[in-house]
Amino acid sequence: MRLRVTYHLACSSRLAGEQARDIAFEQTVELPADAVPSEVAARVAGRVESVEAIGRGRSRAVISFDPGAVCGDLPQLLNLLFGNISLKTGILITGVEWPDELLAAFSGPRLGIAGLRALTGARGRPLLCTALKPLGISAPQLAQLAYGFARAGIDLIKDDHSLADQTTAPFRERVERCQEAVARANGETGGNALYFPNVTSIPSVMSERAGAARRAGCRGVVVNALPAGLGAVGAIAATGLAIMSHPSLAGAFFHPDHGIAPEVLLGDLFRVAGSDAVIYPNVGGRFTFSEATCAAINARLRAPLGSVLPSFPVPAGGIDSARVPHWIERYGADTIFLIGGSLYAQPDPAAAAARLVAAVRRHAHG
Amino acid sequence: MRLRVTYHLACSSRLAGEQARDIAFEQTVELPADAVPSEVAARVAGRVESVEAIGRGRSRAVISFDPGAVCGDLPQLLNLLFGNISLKTGILITGVEWPDELLAAFSGPRLGIAGLRALTGARGRPLLCTALKPLGISAPQLAQLAYGFARAGIDLIKDDHSLADQTTAPFRERVERCQEAVARANGETGGNALYFPNVTSIPSVMSERAGAARRAGCRGVVVNALPAGLGAVGAIAATGLAIMSHPSLAGAFFHPDHGIAPEVLLGDLFRVAGSDAVIYPNVGGRFTFSEATCAAINARLRAPLGSVLPSFPVPAGGIDSARVPHWIERYGADTIFLIGGSLYAQPDPAAAAARLVAAVRRHAHG
């Protein structure tokens, strides 16, 4: 089976056939058809499977590629899908059909939805997550927040994705203090709250930080997947740590007529890269996704996909805690709700978290 | 000194002050101003330095950041500059002023223009580069092309950026054969042609491939910087290998009103990440940059930048070999011209390369 990619092209169907053929050659042999031996072109160039008009001067083309061109290599996958054509205009990737051989090569999440549920002990209900912030407060202050959230019953307490190794809360001190605080709270409540530090950095440092997080007792981490490189997600996944991927920089790809559709980038690509949970900006918050886009991301993260486990969608980015029951109705139980600012806007974030937890548990049993 | 970032905002100056303040908080404390202790905001949030109208409903804002928020960490730099706001609309980064402390932390290219000139022995003239392609031919066939190009006097012979570890020309075999072919040609001509294999992969494999390239005798490599992660460029730079960075995926950032301007991403960021040479799609080829953009990239790669060495611009993407003398007049001697398709369009690419070399040397001495 071949890797089938659907492109929306900002041109009429009269021109779309030619443009699709250009893409098929540009992304593989990177030469015009007349400069490639026909035997090589037949084996290696992409194949235009179909081209059709979809109205308003736009067309849809399906191009298939030999999965062998990817070598089971995530950076090469990104390069094949959108590398050179990113530098053109009017080309949007809207769907990918994955051959099993490629899915097996990428491994995907090691825990997935079931594995993260087992770690937290949360069954039959959505998980609640919040972030430790702001950048600029000390490690003991972050640990105190973590303690309060764990006591309140929040399942996952993550570093804000901008916490790196700033002198205000250096990585090692922050991880030890926050993990200790959450473990202490769990000891008092009998709960299983987890603390996920942000380990994003250059590859060697990221690997060191993941090791330090494991040794401190953490079961998972946060990664800014695109700044780090999607291939770096797989390296951390292989250590057995759960990975919550953050969409930092991803918006560069989300133009309506050029880029990679959110459900493909955050749904398919972040998942096959090894993310157990993927954060995205929910509709109605301070970012710009539509409800249809959010539903499509949820669907792509959870759908059957060869040997690749399903991942948790993590809607975020300005979810009002009062609206969480509404979003549970919409998105279902296999969702992690990340509520940050809405808790910090209240005088006592931990007390606000406790009220949120109570509301969600009432809803789950209602 | 602070890190000063210039943003063009797709809104009138009446709204731009508020949007600039939102960016300053979103990219640091990631909370609204009223949810952050004022002492923390004063230390950590970005500072809006200026806002002015620039016509047609657009505004320019300069926001400065504490360089300590970056931790000398490239992924965190990308996150600070454009991470969350990538998910908004109408925000374009058009300039960055770098504090020396940050430049020192990133190191930048280890060889730069002078170092690459020393390796090739080319003085007072531009360098010529071509690519081994297409994907799908065998390692011996690629090596034969490499031999012909080296005999013809091409300075840098690089893998096509889509050559990974495909079974048609596996990495180890390709590197050994191509490096041997170029060394043999150098032995015959007394020249110093260099072969740069593409080592892009996930971090652990990329590091292995860079080591194998060094052991085979290569002095430099090609990296697809964004698919690999900009931080991975620095890891390879630290090994002493020269790095030619390819702009695969970079076009996602190049929208006219949202993203990171090409001269900032390819000029500043690829350079500080450690690229000795940066490939970009030249005006008039099959991609979309203007001549002004190309000139701006050249300027940002070569300009004084604290302790960071200058990098070679590498215009590419459909340069006709007949037009190279024209581009030398425009771009000057501190340029590497990457001519691929124009050579492959001719019956004997090596003979075409020899004619190109002769034309460039005549021009340099004319």
Side-chain angles (χ1 to χ4, degrees):
Chain A
M1 189 189 150
R2 291 168 66 84
L3 175 68
R4 292 167 62 93
V5 184
T6 302
Y7 296 88
H8 284 191
L9 307 176
C11 63
S12 67
S13 55
R14 192 172 57 80
L15 300 173
E18 182 61 24
Q19 190 179 1
R21 192 172 154 83
D22 282 351
I23 293 171
F25 277 72
E26 180 72 51
Q27 296 302 94
T28 53
V29 291
E30 211 191 329
L31 281 172
D34 55 14
V36 183
S38 58
E39 173 274 325
V40 173
R43 268 193 295 118
V44 177
R47 266 184 227 153
V48 180
E49 304 282 352
S50 64
V51 178
E52 58 184 327
I54 53 173
R56 289 178 301 168
R58 306 185 72 202
S59 302
R60 180 194 293 120
V62 175
I63 304 176
S64 73
F65 298 95
D66 171 10
V70 177
C71 310
D73 182 306
L74 271 165
Q76 168 58 8
L77 172 68
L78 291 171
N79 181 50
L80 179 76
L81 291 175
F82 199 60
N84 269 14
I85 56 172
S86 76
L87 296 156
K88 302 198 169 199
T89 56
I91 303 172
L92 178 69
I93 296 178
T94 61
V96 176
E97 289 173 64
W98 300 92
D100 284 341
E101 107 183 47
L102 211 47
L103 295 173
F106 289 134
S107 306
R110 299 309 196 281
L111 292 93
I113 290 179
L116 263 184
R117 282 202 181 281
L119 282 184
T120 57
R123 290 192 183 77
R125 63 167 176 86
L127 275 65
L128 289 173
C129 176
T130 192
L132 301 177
K133 54 169 85 172
L135 173 64
I137 68 173
S138 70
Q141 289 173 305
L142 292 165
Q144 193 180 345
L145 284 165
Y147 175 79
F149 290 134
R151 284 290 308 233
I154 296 288
D155 300 293
L156 296 170
I157 298 154
K158 67 175 263 301
D159 277 351
D160 190 47
H161 78 290
S162 293
L163 294 175
D165 191 32
Q166 290 91 356
T167 53
T168 41
F171 179 81
R172 291 294 176 106
E173 183 193 357
R174 181 173 86 243
V175 170
E176 282 162 20
R177 287 185 186 268
C178 292
Q179 176 62 21
E180 182 280 326
V182 170
R184 181 157 39 86
N186 286 339
E188 292 162 8
T189 62
N192 295 297
L194 300 177
Y195 164 60
F196 284 14
N198 172 30
V199 297
T200 310
S201 187
I202 61 172
S204 58
V205 175
M206 192 152 134
S207 170
E208 281 170 28
R209 288 188 189 162
R214 273 188 80 90
R215 287 190 297 279
C218 300
R219 305 299 297 269
V221 297
V222 173
V223 176
N224 297 329
L226 293 175
L230 265 192
V233 174
I236 304 296
T239 67
L241 285 164
I243 294 176
M244 180 175 278
S245 284
H246 188 280
S248 173
L249 286 190
F253 292 88
F254 299 157
H255 292 262
D257 67 353
H258 187 68
I260 304 178
E263 61 271 28
V264 175
L265 182 59
L266 301 179
D268 280 3
L269 292 169
F270 274 39
R271 176 178 172 190
V272 301
S275 310
D276 299 288
V278 176
I279 300 171
Y280 68 84
N282 196 33
V283 59
R286 63 189 193 278
F287 300 99
T288 57
F289 282 2
S290 67
E291 187 153 352
T293 295
C294 297
I297 295 170
N298 294 350
R300 300 297 288 184
L301 286 170
R302 296 172 185 147
L305 187 65
S307 55
V308 175
L309 295 179
S311 304
F312 264 116
V314 189
I319 294 184
D320 185 332
S321 57
R323 295 273 290 164
V324 169
H326 163 82
W327 290 114
I328 296 174
E329 293 290 335
R330 292 283 190 162
Y331 290 166
D334 280 343
T335 310
I336 299 174
F337 291 94
L338 169 49
I339 320 289
S342 169
L343 301 180
Y344 284 93
Q346 300 182 53
D348 181 346
R355 290 191 295 275
L356 172 64
V357 168
V360 170
R361 300 210 174 164
R362 266 198 312 276
H363 186 275
H365 300 121
Chain B
M1 191 189 150
R2 291 168 66 84
L3 174 69
R4 291 167 62 91
V5 184
T6 302
Y7 297 89
H8 284 192
L9 307 176
C11 64
S12 67
S13 56
R14 193 172 56 82
L15 300 173
E18 182 62 23
Q19 191 179 0
R21 192 173 157 85
D22 281 352
I23 294 171
F25 277 72
E26 181 72 50
Q27 295 302 95
T28 52
V29 290
E30 211 191 329
L31 281 173
D34 56 14
V36 183
S38 58
E39 174 274 324
V40 172
R43 269 192 296 118
V44 177
R47 265 183 227 151
V48 180
E49 303 283 353
S50 65
V51 178
E52 57 184 327
I54 53 173
R56 288 178 302 167
R58 305 186 72 203
S59 302
R60 179 193 295 121
V62 175
I63 304 176
S64 72
F65 298 95
D66 171 10
V70 177
C71 310
D73 182 306
L74 272 164
Q76 168 59 7
L77 172 67
L78 291 171
N79 182 50
L80 179 75
L81 290 176
F82 199 61
N84 268 15
I85 56 173
S86 76
L87 296 156
K88 302 200 167 195
T89 58
I91 303 172
L92 179 68
I93 296 178
T94 62
V96 176
E97 289 173 64
W98 300 91
D100 284 340
E101 102 180 56
L102 211 47
L103 295 173
F106 289 134
S107 305
R110 299 310 197 279
L111 293 91
I113 290 178
L116 263 185
R117 283 202 181 281
L119 282 184
T120 58
R123 291 194 180 77
R125 64 167 175 85
L127 276 65
L128 289 173
C129 176
T130 193
L132 301 177
K133 54 170 87 172
L135 173 64
I137 68 174
S138 70
Q141 288 173 305
L142 293 166
Q144 192 180 344
L145 284 166
Y147 175 79
F149 290 135
R151 284 289 308 230
I154 296 288
D155 300 293
L156 296 171
I157 298 154
K158 67 175 262 303
D159 277 351
D160 189 48
H161 78 290
S162 292
L163 294 175
D165 192 32
Q166 290 91 358
T167 54
T168 43
F171 179 81
R172 291 294 176 109
E173 183 193 357
R174 182 173 85 242
V175 169
E176 281 162 19
R177 287 185 186 268
C178 292
Q179 176 62 21
E180 182 280 326
V182 170
R184 182 157 39 86
N186 286 339
E188 292 162 8
T189 62
N192 295 296
L194 301 177
Y195 164 59
F196 283 12
N198 172 30
V199 298
T200 310
S201 186
I202 61 171
S204 58
V205 175
M206 192 152 135
S207 170
E208 280 170 30
R209 288 188 189 161
R214 273 187 80 90
R215 287 190 297 278
C218 300
R219 306 299 296 270
V221 297
V222 172
V223 176
N224 297 329
L226 292 175
L230 264 192
V233 174
I236 304 297
T239 68
L241 286 163
I243 294 176
M244 182 176 277
S245 283
H246 188 283
S248 173
L249 286 191
F253 292 88
F254 299 158
H255 291 263
D257 66 354
H258 187 68
I260 304 178
E263 62 271 29
V264 176
L265 183 58
L266 301 179
D268 280 3
L269 292 169
F270 274 40
R271 177 179 171 189
V272 301
S275 310
D276 300 289
V278 177
I279 300 170
Y280 68 84
N282 196 33
V283 59
R286 63 188 193 277
F287 300 99
T288 57
F289 281 2
S290 67
E291 186 155 350
T293 294
C294 297
I297 294 170
N298 295 351
R300 300 298 288 185
L301 286 169
R302 297 172 184 146
L305 189 64
S307 56
V308 175
L309 294 179
S311 304
F312 264 117
V314 189
I319 293 184
D320 186 330
S321 57
R323 296 271 291 164
V324 169
H326 163 81
W327 290 115
I328 295 174
E329 292 290 335
R330 293 281 190 164
Y331 290 166
D334 280 343
T335 311
I336 299 174
F337 291 95
L338 169 49
I339 320 290
S342 169
L343 301 179
Y344 284 92
Q346 300 182 55
D348 181 346
R355 290 191 294 275
L356 172 64
V357 168
V360 169
R361 299 211 176 164
R362 265 198 313 276
H363 187 275
H365 299 119

